Amino acid sequence: MAKISGNEIRPGLMIEYDGGLWAVVKTVTVKPGKGPAYNQAELKNVRDGRKLNNRFSTDERVEEVKLEFRDFQYLYRDGDDLVFMNSESFEQMTLAADFVGERAAFLQDNMQVTLRMHEETPISIKLPDQVVLEIVEADPVIKGQSASSSYKRAKLENGLDILVPPFITAGERVVVDTNEVTYLRRAE
């Protein structure tokens, strides 16, 4: 880990501060009329989600934390746990489904994901940006609606509901954005 000064703290950095691991969300450099300049930073604790606003003077030093990015393969769900396998060492890791959150519904057998790790502890998970899923149920089209602005509800094979254009029917495969949980296009 490297020490950086308070004026080098930028959004996206991970720092160790006050005994915790914090992600820098945003910063503002303040130059008051009297006194030295400082960096006002909004921090988020990556372990418990707490937020903190703190001033860092230019002569204050904090530890910048480097995270490792490791590729894992999703294997299966075991109750409330998700089992992944390290793509290089083939070691298995079990994570609580709460760690992934509602996006756990997008996990498919053998899906490649990336875990951000700090000292062998997972901090966050990155799923592929898009997945292909089948529509198992779709509302009927209501006559008289214009096709350009109307959407209807559809249920995906993973149980999530999304809005789709009126021409999409049950049984079709569609591409879904895993970050926004939205329909993108028909699958080819």
Side-chain angles (χ1 to χ4, degrees):
M1 290 189 285
K3 286 225 183 236
I4 59 172
S5 65
N7 63 340
E8 295 175 312
I9 296 173
R10 299 282 176 259
L13 287 180
M14 197 71 66
I15 63 171
E16 201 169 276
Y17 177 73
D18 197 27
L21 192 60
W22 300 85
V24 180
V25 178
K26 77 179 161 184
T27 60
V28 177
T29 302
V30 180
K31 297 177 183 173
K34 289 187 175 181
Y38 59 88
N39 212 357
Q40 183 73 35
E42 183 179 319
L43 308 173
K44 183 176 180 185
N45 189 303
V46 295
R47 298 200 200 281
D48 60 21
R50 284 183 298 138
K51 288 197 173 183
L52 172 71
N53 278 311
N54 196 57
R55 290 181 179 183
F56 293 96
S57 63
T58 55
D59 59 345
E60 192 172 350
R61 314 253 326 139
V62 293
E63 292 281 341
E64 179 184 7
V65 176
K66 297 290 184 194
L67 298 177
E68 287 183 62
F69 292 86
R70 294 191 193 157
D71 292 328
F72 280 79
Q73 181 179 6
Y74 172 68
L75 297 178
Y76 59 90
R77 184 180 198 110
D78 183 19
D80 288 338
D81 293 330
L82 305 170
V83 180
F84 297 88
M85 179 180 66
N86 186 313
S87 299
E88 292 178 11
S89 68
F90 304 109
E91 292 178 22
Q92 290 187 5
M93 176 182 286
T94 303
L95 298 173
D98 293 350
F99 179 80
V100 181
E102 66 180 22
R103 295 180 3 172
F106 290 114
L107 288 171
Q108 299 170 350
D109 291 345
N110 302 321
M111 178 183 275
Q112 294 296 317
V113 299
T114 303
L115 284 174
R116 288 192 331 171
M117 311 278 286
H118 175 256
E119 297 176 354
E120 302 301 317
T121 303
I123 301 297
S124 67
I125 188 168
K126 174 138 177 42
L127 276 60
D129 291 330
Q130 302 171 358
V131 294
V132 176
L133 294 167
E134 184 177 335
I135 301 286
V136 294
E137 191 181 301
D139 286 348
V141 178
I142 299 172
K143 292 192 183 259
Q145 286 183 324
S146 72
S148 62
S149 65
S150 65
Y151 282 86
K152 63 181 184 178
R153 187 196 66 79
K155 185 178 227 92
L156 297 168
E157 63 182 273
N158 63 3
L160 294 178
D161 288 337
I162 62 169
L163 294 175
V164 297
F167 58 82
I168 299 294
T169 59
E172 288 192 66
R173 295 182 63 73
V174 295
V175 179
V176 179
D177 182 316
T178 60
N179 299 309
E180 301 294 325
V181 191
T182 56
Y183 164 86
L184 295 175
R185 64 185 177 278
R186 280 183 169 153
E188 298 180 19

